[in-house]
Amino acid sequence: MVSRPRLVIIGAGIVGCALADELTGRGWTDVTVVEQGPLFAAGGSSSHAPGLVFQTNPSKTMTEFATYTVNKYSGLSLDGQWCFKQVGGLEVATTPERLIDLRRRQGWAEAWGVHGEVISPERCLELWSLLDPARVLGGYFVPTDGLANSLRCGEAQARRAIERGARFLAHHTVVGIEQQGGRVTGVAVEVGAEGLEYRVVPADVVVSAAGFWGPSIGAMAGVSVPLLPLAHQYARSEPLAVLEGNPEAVRPILRHQDRDLYFREHGDQIGVGSYAHRPMPVRQEEIGPNGTTMPSVQAFTEDDFEPAWRDAVELLPALKESAYTGGINGIFSFTPDGLPLIGEAPQLDGFWLAEAVWVTHSAGVAKALAEVLVDGRSSVDLHECELNRFEPVHLAPAFVEERGKQNFVEVYDIIHPLQPMESPRPMRTSPFYPRQRELGAFFLEGAGWERPQWFTANSPLSGDPGRLGLTERDDWAARYWSPIAAAESHYTREQVALYDMTPLKRIEVTGAGAAAFLQRMTTNNVDKKPGSVTYTLLLDAGGGVRSDLTVARLTEERFQVGANGNLDLDWLQRHAPGDVQVRDITPGTCCVGVWGPRARELVQPLTDLDMSHEGFRYFTCKQGYIGQVPVTAMRVSYVGELGWELYTTADLGLKLWDTLWATGLPIAGGRAAFNSLRLEKGYRLWGVDMTPEHNPYEAGLAFAVREDKDFLGREALSKEITRKLVPLLTAEVVTGKEPVRHGGATVGYTTSAAYGHTIGRPIAYAWLPIGLTTPGTEVEVAYFGRPVPAEVAAEPLFDAKMEKIRR
């Protein structure tokens, strides 16, 4: 008989109930749910949530969570009462900009498998007759959206879990997380409304699904939970004569995003939710105590709601005959990037989180976490939501608060995919930052790093649009872009440019067992002699691409790993045996990419190393000096040109830059040019072009898999290919995440996109069924609803024989 772990879930809100249901349905029946309040109106966010479920999201993962939630809750009932009412979801546009954005939203839905349509003002009025026809320009309608009664959904799932053996314990207030030897052993609770009895519930696994109490539970375990509770306003109208005799809800749930409002019916009343007010953070100590009826509800602040009510009346004139009543400031959770927190804490084995999860995504998150716990991996890509995605700087309470408040403000804003947060910045800067500012860098942000997109100092190079191969861009594709990027791209192909690669995560792996460890963790052969560099992959338990790495062997027992982010660091640290040390060296180091046909001409006079092709082969590394600066030089290139990545310590970074710059040969290149260059070469960007949903063969990375060695994920790795990542040459520049159509059907979606300045064509990579991946196949990319002709191309699009990079 298979042994099942003892599992304790903290919190009997909708997430805790859903998780208990999903786990017991998979055979984990030793499940105990502890709740500080009553069952099932426990007093958290689930108790006051209005229950609107809109599925469409720019994130494929979040959309899939919501779709699963809809499908699951549609099949639930509680004592003959509905749990999910599929009334549909309607978003209306009152500005031309919003109407355009609704077409983009429809594209996301189509790409992720949700049916939605942009509809006329007349159709909007058919669905919501109370709308002011003079204000509505159009709408976006998803028939499968709807209302979830969070308390009924929670209890219905809990009852199923109880039937399978789960226990739900009311009035059990968590006061501590027991642990021993770095592993959780139980949950300490005070029992009863007065907390008169103390006891410990034994556990092998603990999942915190405590919602906005998550930071307090995390603190008991010594785990930082980057979550900010914020108050959010919701009120109901008085009964409206026009809705007299109305059932609880018949019209679609409604969004008026131009005014940060949403609406739902409550019989003859209309509920109005507002994000239009100032952010109102709530400290853990300010949340109502366990004894209060509704700890998640604070006093309603009418002054904050008055402007929202006026905007609501403008959209729904029938509200003029009414006033608002029963308003609340209800608490719910925001994170620095607006996404949930899912995963095991790095500080404490067996302590897991399922936090910052709204009703919309509750069942989907519960299913994904249950899959990870039971099967070792989720069927949905979780990288955007994994707890350990954050860098240490992102865990600072002041950072969590500022970014959380900004996410609240922007929740309904039209956000460009490149649009950065404006504050707090700058946070992380490379040693080259002063020189980049002198060169007029236009900075965006990634993982907290200031990253130059282009340099105004290079504007004289962009004077000939014909030579640069520029094409017309619409307003959307032209945002956060400059023709200077084209000049930088051409200069890199023709001369030499310096690219700041400091934000690349650098991990040092050392110890007697380092080679064997990395050999076991990665798909390619990294157990080569010192001086070798290997491109390789990390796979998960199901054979999906968890990350791609560049592994340089510096000595017999020391490796430097170029990774994608904190998730890779966490993955390697979790799997490292006792004779291997894994540490992040990014903050104390820096890197500059020196790329272009004149790269050797630039660096050879400055160094004691032999930089000739024969003396310094492609995908090898050496340690030496550039001028007076000690460097580790790796002959690799992410732009498809001759060159090196030069690494040194952070204190010498500025000296390295100045030494290279003093030759008078290079320009500085930005990320916009970099992205164009790498797409021309077909170089993948993990997390965008491929994720754990994809295997290496589908992603075009079979060359990085050594089938004659054992590695994590090998047993599950399948060579069966039903889809493939391929380049498209499009008729105009698109931006990614658009649906791809063929023969009138949706067949895939785009990932990365840019203009290829060397080949003179717009490029978009896309996932397509294997039958449509033959070069020359014609498809369409639906860009803001418009069909853009595209053609599948053979890759790489540039320098197919690799002559430029190996000379």
Side-chain angles (χ1 to χ4, degrees):
M1 183 174 178
V2 179
S3 175
R4 304 297 189 193
R6 299 166 299 176
L7 187 138
V8 174
I9 298 170
I10 300 172
I14 195 169
V15 177
C17 292
L19 181 58
D21 182 39
E22 294 288 340
L23 285 169
T24 56
R26 289 168 171 77
W28 281 25
T29 54
D30 193 347
V31 173
T32 302
V33 182
V34 294
E35 170 54 56
Q36 66 177 348
L39 300 175
F40 286 90
S45 298
S46 298
S47 298
H48 71 255
L52 286 73
V53 179
F54 289 94
Q55 296 168 80
T56 305
N57 194 286
S59 164
K60 183 173 183 286
T61 295
M62 297 296 280
T63 299
E64 289 173 335
F65 285 161
T67 299
Y68 181 79
T69 298
V70 165
N71 293 338
K72 182 178 186 182
Y73 293 172
S74 295
L76 295 179
S77 64
L78 185 73
D79 299 331
Q81 295 179 298
W82 62 269
C83 289
F84 186 82
K85 197 154 190 164
Q86 205 157 48
V87 292
L90 175 64
E91 303 174 24
V92 294
T94 59
T95 64
E97 294 78 13
R98 181 67 62 180
L99 185 59
I100 292 171
D101 192 60
L102 292 183
R103 296 190 182 102
R104 179 173 66 132
R105 294 180 60 77
Q106 189 277 328
W108 292 334
E110 182 182 339
W112 312 147
V114 174
H115 173 68
E117 56 181 323
V118 176
I119 60 177
S120 68
E122 293 76 19
R123 177 63 175 144
C124 292
L125 290 167
E126 289 176 10
L127 294 168
W128 254 90
S129 58
L130 277 63
L131 290 166
D132 182 353
R135 294 188 175 277
V136 177
L137 304 181
Y140 168 57
F141 179 56
V142 178
T144 54
D145 288 346
L147 283 170
N149 185 302
S150 56
L151 295 182
R152 291 180 199 155
C153 287
E155 186 172 352
Q157 293 175 99
R159 287 187 187 183
R160 294 201 306 202
I162 291 168
E163 289 174 359
R164 302 183 190 118
R167 297 185 302 158
F168 279 72
L169 305 177
H171 303 296
H172 278 56
T173 302
V174 176
V175 294
I177 305 298
E178 301 292 304
Q179 52 188 287
Q180 184 175 3
R183 181 162 193 90
V184 70
T185 58
V187 177
V189 295
E190 290 181 347
V191 182
E194 303 300 324
L196 298 179
E197 179 189 346
Y198 172 90
R199 68 188 183 93
V200 174
V201 183
D204 303 303
V205 177
V206 173
V207 179
S208 177
F212 53 72
W213 282 287
S216 293
I217 300 298
M220 298 177 194
V223 175
S224 180
V225 178
L227 177 159
L228 178 70
L230 283 158
H232 163 58
Q233 293 198 300
Y234 189 80
R236 297 189 187 194
S237 72
E238 294 175 339
L240 300 175
V242 70
L243 296 180
E244 186 176 356
N246 199 43
E248 180 170 351
V250 291
R251 291 172 176 81
I253 53 177
L254 176 66
R255 272 176 171 166
H256 179 23
Q257 291 167 294
D258 288 321
R259 290 295 183 269
D260 295 317
L261 298 175
Y262 63 82
F263 306 85
R264 60 154 292 184
E265 293 176 301
H266 295 276
D268 60 359
Q269 297 173 286
I270 294 178
V272 182
S274 171
Y275 293 97
H277 55 80
R278 60 189 169 89
M280 295 184 275
V282 182
R283 315 295 171 198
Q284 294 287 289
E285 62 273 13
E286 295 172 338
I287 299 172
N290 181 27
T292 57
T293 304
M294 188 73 77
S296 62
V297 172
Q298 295 197 318
F300 187 61
T301 51
E302 293 192 12
D303 288 347
D304 291 306
F305 193 73
E306 280 290 344
W309 181 254
R310 290 194 295 269
D311 288 336
V313 170
E314 283 188 351
L315 185 71
L316 305 175
L319 293 176
K320 290 179 182 178
E321 66 184 61
S322 174
Y324 56 85
T325 182
I328 63 169
N329 284 12
I331 305 172
F332 67 154
S333 305
F334 272 83
T335 59
D337 58 9
L339 295 168
L341 304 172
I342 306 170
E344 187 178 20
Q347 305 94 328
L348 183 60
D349 290 348
F351 184 78
W352 293 72
L353 267 68
E355 302 285 19
V357 182
W358 295 2
V359 172
T360 302
H361 309 106
S362 53
V365 167
K367 173 177 179 277
L369 181 52
E371 288 176 334
V372 173
L373 288 167
V374 176
D375 304 324
R377 77 185 296 263
S378 166
S379 58
V380 174
D381 167 35
L382 294 182
H383 86 272
E384 294 176 313
C385 305
E386 288 192 55
L387 169 65
N388 302 312
R389 65 190 182 269
F390 294 109
E391 299 284 337
V393 68
H394 299 142
L395 302 178
F399 183 89
V400 173
E401 177 166 339
E402 186 157 354
R403 287 293 170 93
K405 290 192 295 186
Q406 189 62 30
N407 275 306
F408 178 91
V409 170
E410 295 180 350
V411 70
Y412 281 169
D413 286 1
I414 299 171
I415 304 293
H416 191 278
L418 294 178
Q419 182 175 329
M421 286 282 192
E422 295 301 325
S423 180
R425 288 179 62 193
M427 289 291 291
R428 309 176 80 186
T429 58
S430 82
F432 318 135
Y433 183 67
R435 297 296 181 261
Q436 292 167 344
R437 292 189 64 185
E438 291 169 5
L439 293 169
F442 179 84
F443 291 99
L444 297 182
E445 183 221 29
W449 288 97
E450 295 297 314
R451 310 183 80 164
Q453 286 294 104
W454 62 82
F455 295 87
T456 56
N458 295 328
S459 57
L461 301 175
S462 58
D464 184 358
R467 188 187 76 87
L468 295 179
L470 296 180
T471 188
E472 289 293 324
R473 291 172 176 251
D474 71 343
D475 176 66
W476 191 252
R479 292 185 197 180
Y480 303 103
W481 182 85
S482 166
I484 296 172
E488 293 173 0
S489 176
H490 279 284
Y491 201 93
T492 304
R493 290 276 188 244
E494 297 165 1
Q495 303 287 332
V496 62
L498 306 183
Y499 287 86
D500 184 359
M501 302 300 291
T502 301
L504 175 74
K505 174 70 78 173
R506 289 174 292 286
I507 301 169
E508 184 180 74
V509 181
T510 57
F517 167 63
L518 288 172
Q519 192 75 338
R520 165 67 180 150
M521 292 298 295
T522 68
T523 60
N524 212 339
N525 178 28
V526 299
D527 191 7
K528 303 173 183 175
K529 64 181 181 180
S532 65
V533 180
T534 306
Y535 177 81
T536 188
L537 308 174
L538 293 177
L539 303 186
D540 66 11
V545 180
R546 184 173 176 89
S547 190
D548 62 342
L549 310 175
T550 302
V551 178
R553 189 170 198 172
L554 305 182
T555 67
E556 287 290 336
E557 298 186 359
R558 178 170 167 243
F559 293 79
Q560 180 172 309
V561 177
N564 282 295
N566 218 51
L567 291 176
D568 297 336
L569 175 68
D570 177 67
W571 185 256
L572 293 175
Q573 287 178 333
R574 286 184 184 278
H575 288 85
D579 61 347
V580 174
Q581 296 77 49
V582 178
R583 70 185 187 100
D584 183 5
I585 61 171
T586 312
T589 57
C590 61
C591 176
V592 57
V594 184
W595 292 315
R598 299 184 70 184
R600 183 174 289 115
E601 181 182 344
L602 191 162
V603 297
Q604 185 62 84
L606 302 174
T607 184
D608 57 335
L609 298 173
D610 179 1
M611 308 299 280
S612 68
H613 180 62
E614 295 74 19
F616 203 144
R617 307 294 292 188
Y618 187 55
F619 263 84
T620 62
C621 64
K622 294 183 179 183
Q623 294 177 298
Y625 291 86
I626 297 291
Q628 300 164 341
V629 179
V631 299
T632 298
M634 298 186 193
R635 191 173 170 193
V636 294
S637 171
Y638 203 50
V639 301
E641 292 291 335
L642 170 68
W644 291 264
E645 290 181 353
L646 303 177
Y647 297 86
T648 191
T649 51
D651 59 320
L652 292 170
L654 195 59
K655 180 67 173 178
L656 174 61
W657 181 279
D658 288 345
T659 300
L660 296 166
W661 194 262
T663 64
L665 292 177
I667 64 165
R671 296 290 298 183
F674 179 87
N675 197 47
S676 171
L677 295 165
R678 68 105 180 162
L679 282 179
E680 289 181 328
K681 282 297 294 179
Y683 294 150
R684 277 68 167 139
L685 178 61
W686 184 84
V688 177
D689 297 318
M690 74 278 194
T691 72
E693 292 184 4
H694 311 110
N695 72 46
Y697 303 103
E698 297 171 325
L701 300 174
F703 68 90
V705 179
R706 283 287 296 268
E707 297 176 9
D708 60 350
K709 60 167 262 191
D710 188 28
F711 52 82
L712 182 63
R714 188 182 190 282
E715 291 182 0
L717 187 57
S718 171
K719 286 187 176 181
E720 181 181 358
I721 300 178
T722 59
R723 58 185 174 178
K724 191 176 178 183
L725 182 67
V726 294
L728 305 179
L729 297 177
T730 57
E732 61 183 272
V733 178
V734 300
T735 54
K737 296 188 177 182
E738 295 94 2
V740 180
R741 300 169 181 165
H742 179 78
T746 305
V747 294
Y749 58 90
T750 61
T751 59
S752 296
Y755 190 83
H757 299 291
T758 313
I759 66 171
R761 293 288 302 274
I763 305 166
Y765 266 75
W767 282 98
L768 295 178
I770 192 66
L772 297 177
T773 58
T774 303
T777 302
E778 294 183 352
V779 294
E780 288 181 347
V781 175
Y783 181 62
F784 288 88
R786 293 188 294 104
V788 174
E791 177 184 325
V792 177
E795 63 175 345
L797 301 170
F798 172 78
D799 190 25
K801 296 182 179 180
M802 301 286 283
E803 293 173 342
K804 290 175 69 67
I805 207 167
R806 291 176 170 163
R807 60 182 178 184

